[in-house]
Amino acid sequence: MPVIDITQLSYCYRENNPPVLQDVSLQIYSGQFVGIAGANNSGKSTLCYAMSGVVPHLFHGKFSGNVKINGISTLEHTVSDISNQVGLVLQKPDNQISGMRFTVFEEVALGLENRGFERETIRKRVSEMLNLMELSSHAERSPFHLSGGQQQRLALASVLAVDPPVLILDEPTTFLDPSGAFHLFSILQKLQKEGKTIIITEQRTDLLAAFTERVIVLQEGRVRKDGSPQNVLTTPDIETAGIGRTRYTKTAELAKKNSLWQTDHALPATLNETIAGLRIRKNTDDYKN
Amino acid sequence: MLFIDRPGWLHKLHPFTKLVLLLLSAALAYLTGLSIGSLSLLLAACLLLIISGGIFSVSAKMVIRIFLPLILFMVPIHGLLNPANTTEIFSFHGIVFYREGLFFALKTLMQLGVVISASLAFVFTTHPADLITAVSHASGSISIGYLLGFPLLLLESMRERVVTIQNAQRARGLEIDGNIFRRFTSLGPLLFPLLIGSIVGIEQRSIALEVRGFKIHGPKTSLRLVPDSLLQKLSRRLMLTLAVILPMLHFFR
C-alpha cells in the first residue's frame, strides 16, 4: 500500500481562478526519496500542501479528488492530526519559527508539548534532534537570532522531533548557500536510510539527481514526467517545463557531439554517472588502440 | 526583553503572585486615599522589595530616567499653578510657590512611584516564557498564551526587519535621517514593506503552527516548569481580597 496515494487531485485557490493542480494522480511508497521539480507556479507548493492536509483545510479553495496518507483521507482529519503522519517544512526559514518560545531548545520541544509528551522524553528527544541538526551549541539562543540556514535546520528539527514517517519539504534550500543545501540533502538522505519517506520540491536539479531516487516533474499543475532522475532529468524536453538539466548532462551532451561520449550510452545526471560514461568511452578507445 | 537572569527570591515567585502584588500596590496607591505619610511607607516597602530581589541598580537607573523629567515638570507647575493653591511657602520676585500644589505633585509622584517600582519588580524578575506558561496552564488554552507571548517575541524580529528595510531603502537613495519632516516623509517607504512582509509571514507561520500540532486534541505538557506552592496560592487570594476590599471600604466610608 502506498504511504501517499493521490487520485485525480485538482485544486484552485479561488472559484473562478485557473486550477493550480489538475488531475494529479500519484503513489509514493514508504522509504522513497522523491524530488518534485517544476517552474514557478507549476503547483509544487500546492501539491505539498495537499499532501499534508493544509489544502483544503487552511485554504478554502475548490478541491476535488482524494489524498490518502497511509490509507486515511486528508479530508477527514485536521492538519494537526495529519502532522503525526506527515511533517511539513516550508520555504522561508524565519516564518516557520512559532513565535511562542524563547530558545531554540524550547522551539523544538513545542510539537512534543502539544502532544502531551513527558518532560524527560521531551528533553531527550529535543537533544537528539539538536545533535542531528548540529544545533546543540545554539540551544539557548533565541530562534530569531539564528542564520537562515540554522533556522531552516531548526524548522526541520522541530518537525522531526515528532517523528513523522513522512517528511515533506517545500523548497527548503531557497535561502541556503550551496554547501548548506548539500548538507541539508545529506541529512535527508540519512533520514531516508533510517526508514523515513522524503518528498522534496527543489529547483536545483543536480541535488535532485545526486540524492533522490525518483523525480516528478510538474508543469501547469499536471504531472509531466515521473521516473528515475537519470530518465527524467536528462531528457531535453524537461527544459520546456522550466527545469534546467544538470551540468553533467549538458557536458556529456557536448561530449557526444564531439564524439567523446558513446552514442549508445545514456546521458548522465550525476558526477558518478558522468565518470562511468567517460570510463566506458576510454576503455573502448584503449581497446581499439 | 527586560528580564534579568539572576538568583533571587523574587525570581522564584510564581508570575501570578507578582502580578497580584502589583495589582494590590496599585489599588493601595490609587484607590484607598492614602496620605503622603502612608504612601511613603508603601514606597519604602516597594524599595525594600527591589533591594531584596537583587534588582536595585537596574531599577534605580530606570526610575531616574522616568522620574527626573516628571519631577522637573510637575513640582514647579503644581507648586505655582494648581487651582487649589492657597498656602504660600515662599515667593521670589513676585512668583509664589504654594504648599497645596507641592503636596499634590508629591502625592501623584509617590503613587506613580509605587506602581512603577512594583511593575519593575515584576518585569525584571519574571521571564516572559514563565508568564506565558503560567497563563496557558491557568486558562487551559495554548492560544491565550500565544496571544500574550507572540507580540513580545515578534518585537525583536520586527526590529531586525526594520533595520534591513532601512538599509535597503538607504541603498536606493531614500533619505531617512535628518530633520523631523524628512523622517516623517520617509515613514511610508519603511512601514509598507514591513506591514506587507508581516502579513505574508502570518500565513506561513499559521501553517507552521498547525503542522506542529497547535490545535491537536488531548492533554498538553510543558517543558518549562513554573513552580507554585500552597503558601503562594493562599497569599494571592489574600492579596486579591485586600485589593478589592480596601478600596471598597474607602469608597463607602
Side-chain angles (χ1 to χ4, degrees):
Chain A
M1 188 175 75
V3 67
I4 292 181
D5 189 1
I6 303 172
T7 323
Q8 294 179 316
L9 170 66
S10 294
Y11 184 77
C12 56
Y13 283 94
R14 288 205 182 102
E15 193 70 36
N16 298 323
N17 283 12
V20 185
L21 292 174
Q22 297 183 69
D23 204 23
V24 173
S25 290
L26 281 174
Q27 280 80 43
I28 292 169
Y29 293 90
S30 179
Q32 279 193 325
F33 194 154
V34 182
I36 299 172
N40 290 339
N41 299 320
S42 60
K44 301 188 299 292
S45 296
T46 309
L47 184 59
C48 289
Y49 289 166
M51 288 189 283
S52 53
V54 171
V55 157
H57 292 295
L58 301 186
F59 294 96
H60 305 288
K62 194 180 170 191
F63 182 96
S64 65
N66 206 352
V67 180
K68 285 182 177 174
I69 314 288
N70 283 325
I72 300 160
S73 171
T74 54
L75 287 167
E76 292 158 15
H77 291 83
T78 64
V79 177
S80 287
D81 289 335
I82 295 166
S83 68
N84 288 325
Q85 295 294 318
V86 179
L88 176 67
V89 176
L90 302 169
Q91 191 179 30
K92 279 193 85 182
D94 57 337
N95 286 342
Q96 293 175 80
I97 294 168
S98 69
M100 293 183 75
R101 295 294 182 258
F102 287 78
T103 66
V104 166
F105 197 93
E106 290 173 351
E107 178 73 16
V108 178
L110 181 67
L112 298 166
E113 290 174 321
N114 287 339
R115 287 165 176 83
F117 280 79
E118 291 294 324
R119 196 170 282 122
E120 272 320 299
T121 314
I122 295 176
R123 280 188 202 287
K124 189 170 167 276
R125 189 90 188 118
V126 172
S127 299
E128 282 171 10
M129 288 305 109
L130 292 181
N131 273 336
L132 180 70
M133 295 298 151
E134 297 175 14
L135 286 170
S136 298
S137 55
H138 305 287
E140 293 308 314
R141 285 179 71 189
S142 160
F144 288 108
H145 288 164
L146 299 181
S147 69
Q150 288 165 340
Q151 283 180 341
Q152 197 57 281
R153 278 186 278 142
L154 172 62
L156 185 54
S158 305
V159 166
L160 274 176
V162 182
D163 200 21
V166 182
L167 264 182
I168 299 173
L169 302 100
D170 183 17
E171 297 198 46
T173 65
T174 307
F175 295 92
L176 303 186
D177 58 19
S179 71
F182 188 86
H183 181 54
L184 184 73
F185 265 85
S186 307
I187 293 170
L188 295 175
Q189 194 174 47
K190 195 176 161 191
L191 291 167
Q192 184 219 359
K193 283 177 183 161
E194 287 169 9
K196 296 228 181 282
T197 308
I198 313 285
I199 302 159
I200 186 166
T201 69
E202 179 59 60
Q203 300 271 17
R204 303 182 202 190
T205 44
D206 50 344
L207 285 170
L208 289 179
F211 287 95
T212 62
E213 60 187 73
R214 179 180 169 193
V215 175
I216 296 163
V217 175
L218 285 181
Q219 189 179 14
E220 291 168 359
R222 292 180 189 275
V223 175
R224 177 79 184 270
K225 279 190 180 297
D226 184 354
S228 72
Q230 196 178 16
N231 282 340
V232 171
L233 297 175
T234 55
T235 52
D237 57 339
I238 65 155
E239 287 183 348
T240 59
I243 305 160
R245 289 184 296 165
T246 72
R247 66 190 112 164
Y248 306 111
T249 309
K250 287 177 184 169
T251 308
E253 199 170 49
L254 198 63
K256 201 173 181 178
K257 277 180 191 164
N258 290 285
S259 308
L260 295 167
W261 188 269
Q262 287 281 97
T263 47
D264 56 346
H265 193 73
L267 288 174
T270 64
L271 177 62
N272 286 341
E273 287 164 7
T274 313
I275 291 167
L278 289 171
R279 220 171 246 149
I280 289 168
R281 174 73 203 183
K282 185 177 178 291
N283 290 343
T284 314
D285 287 348
D286 289 348
Y287 178 74
K288 281 179 185 168
N289 292 333
Chain B
M1 192 163 68
L2 293 169
F3 173 71
I4 296 159
D5 194 7
R6 63 175 60 150
W9 71 274
L10 257 181
H11 285 74
K12 287 178 191 156
L13 283 184
H14 191 276
F16 286 172
T17 311
K18 287 180 267 190
L19 260 183
V20 174
L21 187 67
L22 168 60
L23 186 76
L24 177 64
S25 312
L28 287 175
Y30 279 100
L31 304 173
T32 56
L34 291 182
S35 64
I36 287 189
S38 309
L39 269 174
S40 48
L41 280 176
L42 188 61
L43 195 59
C46 288
L47 192 67
L48 203 66
L49 193 76
I50 282 173
I51 294 169
S52 63
I55 49 162
F56 176 71
S57 59
V58 67
S59 302
K61 277 180 205 160
M62 190 74 95
V63 166
I64 289 168
R65 214 180 295 160
I66 296 168
F67 271 86
L68 201 62
L70 280 176
I71 292 168
L72 289 175
F73 278 99
M74 279 187 76
V75 173
I77 286 170
H78 283 284
L80 299 170
L81 305 170
N82 194 303
N85 281 346
T86 48
T87 319
E88 186 181 323
I89 302 176
F90 66 87
S91 67
F92 182 72
H93 291 284
I95 300 167
V96 185
F97 202 84
Y98 294 95
R99 188 172 182 270
E100 288 77 11
L102 175 68
F103 273 44
F104 176 83
L106 282 179
K107 191 175 176 181
T108 308
L109 286 169
M110 278 180 171
Q111 285 172 325
L112 207 59
V114 168
V115 174
I116 285 175
S117 46
S119 304
L120 291 179
F122 175 73
V123 295
F124 283 143
T125 64
T126 309
H127 195 294
D130 285 338
L131 180 63
I132 294 166
T133 308
V135 170
S136 298
H137 269 271
S139 62
S141 162
I142 194 168
S143 309
I144 294 175
Y146 185 65
L147 282 177
L148 188 74
F150 187 61
L152 288 173
L153 280 155
L154 199 68
L155 219 59
E156 213 167 338
S157 119
M158 290 272 262
R159 206 178 294 148
E160 281 174 22
R161 203 172 282 179
V162 166
V163 174
T164 311
I165 295 168
Q166 273 182 333
N167 290 340
Q169 302 294 40
R170 251 194 216 113
R172 292 188 187 114
L174 182 78
E175 289 187 45
I176 54 172
D177 301 311
N179 61 38
I180 284 183
F181 179 72
R182 191 170 285 170
R183 283 179 192 215
F184 186 75
T185 51
S186 70
L187 266 180
L190 290 177
L191 285 179
F192 284 120
L194 184 71
L195 196 70
I196 289 163
S198 303
I199 291 168
V200 171
I202 285 169
E203 187 183 87
Q204 288 225 328
R205 210 180 293 275
S206 67
I207 295 172
L209 279 174
E210 285 282 349
V211 298
R212 304 259 190 96
F214 188 66
K215 284 187 185 163
I216 216 159
H217 296 293
K220 296 185 189 330
T221 48
S222 173
L223 182 68
R224 199 171 261 273
L225 192 67
V226 185
D228 203 0
S229 64
L230 183 66
L231 183 67
Q232 284 198 64
K233 282 177 189 163
L234 290 173
S235 315
R236 286 204 291 270
R237 281 184 193 161
L238 179 70
M239 286 191 290
L240 264 177
T241 313
L242 287 174
V244 174
I245 287 177
L246 291 177
M248 280 172 78
L249 284 176
H250 171 70
F251 186 73
F252 290 113
R253 197 168 56 191

